[in-house]
Amino acid sequence: MVSSPHEAMHRIFQQYPGLFSGVSEVLGIDFPPPTSVTVLPNDLTEASPVERRVDTLLRLDAEDGEPLLLAVEAQGGKDPDKPASWAYYASYLLTKYRLQPLLLVVCQDRATAKWAAREVNFGPRQWPLLTLRPLVAGPHNMPVITDPAGVRKDLALATLSAITHAKHPEAGVILKSMTTVLRDTPQSIANPIIELIAQGLGKHPAARLWRKLVAVDLSFYKSPLSEEIRDEGRAEGEVRRAAEDVLDILEVRGIDVPEAVRERITGCGDPEILRHWHRRAVTAPTAEDIFTDD
């Protein structure tokens, strides 16, 4: 099943096609900066019923040197079948477009990155026919950008860095530097970055921190994520007030509320149940009795 971090790690190259220049510089590979980038169809399916799709496929054109095809694959874990698929992608792309293919694998953990970076030989041990050598970007080699100046220097690279460092001990500092810069960034540029990072962080603990930072530091933005956070805040506020109303009725009636009852009421997140308890609190002889017909 495709996860949101998987989608973010390759779609960021579609959103910011020039990002590969910054990534290749970080990786120490000398590619001329492209003069144009074209997002190509990612469907590599042949006439046979087997469907094969690379995550993102870009054509990079440069003033110096021939165009090349950049296939970007987001990899969430080790998969013994992937190297063969990647080799297929490379040969298929070369055959279809008659351009030299390059594979970039983006990972969020070091073990997967180390696995993906291995050279894989295809063919007999005595005479390998093909050698697969992907470029790999991940927490082991992407810069840890913790200051706003670094973020401003290259927003796209900083976004990818924040995604690949989702598990980093300084994830909070990394994300705070992003919101510091995004506060002064035009909304049309900031919104895709806000969403990409939210998507890329997936279910990692840093995702909750990102939502809080967006709610506080970027509260004036009207992105899908910020609207979702505001809706959640309103819903949480309504639930909190409903619980307080139940407790207020019991207090006004002079009914003692044991701590266990109080915790059950304040811990309830269902507004329908709280409304039911609210009605019961008007006539219940004890606080526990508001739960009797549950």
Side-chain angles (χ1 to χ4, degrees):
M1 182 176 178
V2 175
S3 64
S4 57
H6 175 280
E7 291 297 286
M9 284 191 288
H10 74 86
R11 287 186 182 276
I12 186 174
F13 287 87
Q14 298 178 22
Q15 186 74 37
Y16 303 99
L19 171 59
F20 181 64
S21 291
V23 172
S24 62
E25 182 180 344
V26 169
L27 298 180
I29 312 295
D30 183 23
F31 288 104
T35 54
S36 67
V37 177
T38 306
V39 179
L40 300 175
N42 65 343
D43 190 348
L44 308 185
T45 307
E46 295 187 280
S48 63
V50 178
E51 181 179 308
R52 301 179 187 270
R53 292 179 185 273
V54 66
D55 287 334
T56 285
L57 180 62
L58 304 174
R59 171 179 170 144
L60 308 181
D61 291 279
E63 289 183 357
D64 301 323
E66 64 176 331
L68 63 86
L69 295 175
L70 175 64
V72 183
E73 283 278 284
Q75 194 64 30
K78 300 176 184 179
D79 182 349
D81 295 330
K82 270 296 183 180
S85 296
W86 292 339
Y88 170 86
Y89 297 166
S91 60
Y92 178 89
L93 291 171
L94 180 60
T95 301
K96 180 176 181 178
Y97 291 100
R98 298 295 175 182
L99 296 174
Q100 294 301 325
L102 180 66
L103 173 64
L104 174 65
V105 182
V106 185
C107 309
Q108 281 185 307
D109 67 275
R110 291 175 180 271
T112 302
K114 183 178 179 181
W115 165 83
R118 299 171 308 152
E119 287 191 3
V120 179
N121 293 318
F122 297 92
R125 175 178 53 81
Q126 300 89 333
W127 194 267
L129 175 64
L130 298 171
T131 299
L132 180 72
R133 293 183 63 205
L135 282 174
V136 178
H140 66 298
N141 58 11
M142 285 293 97
V144 178
I145 303 175
T146 57
D147 65 288
V151 175
R152 289 191 183 92
K153 183 179 178 182
D154 192 331
L155 261 176
L157 183 64
T159 301
L160 180 65
S161 175
I163 292 171
T164 55
H165 290 295
K167 302 177 184 177
H168 196 279
E170 291 191 87
V173 181
I174 295 170
L175 297 176
K176 181 64 177 178
S177 69
M178 292 296 303
T179 56
T180 298
V181 173
L182 292 177
R183 277 202 301 264
D184 304 321
T185 302
Q187 190 166 342
S188 59
I189 297 174
N191 280 352
I193 292 175
I194 294 170
E195 303 302 323
L196 273 168
I197 293 177
Q199 188 179 29
L201 295 178
K203 296 182 179 179
H204 295 297
R208 293 193 295 274
L209 176 59
W210 180 244
R211 296 175 74 86
K212 291 178 181 177
L213 287 171
V214 170
V216 175
D217 293 353
L218 306 175
S219 58
F220 48 88
Y221 278 135
K222 293 183 178 179
S223 67
L225 177 63
S226 60
E227 289 300 314
E228 180 183 331
I229 291 172
R230 291 185 192 108
D231 288 343
E232 288 177 359
R234 283 191 287 268
E236 289 173 1
E238 290 175 3
V239 168
R240 186 174 59 252
R241 285 191 293 273
E244 290 172 352
D245 288 344
V246 174
L247 293 172
D248 285 346
I249 288 180
L250 294 173
E251 182 181 346
V252 168
R253 294 183 60 216
I255 294 176
D256 180 61
V257 181
E259 189 59 31
V261 173
R262 184 178 300 275
E263 288 179 1
R264 183 174 177 183
I265 294 171
T266 57
C268 178
D270 189 325
E272 282 299 321
I273 292 176
L274 286 168
R275 277 193 284 272
H276 175 67
W277 290 348
H278 185 271
R279 290 191 292 270
R280 293 279 303 163
V282 175
T283 58
T286 68
E288 290 86 348
D289 284 333
I290 69 172
F291 311 131
T292 54
D293 61 347
D294 289 354

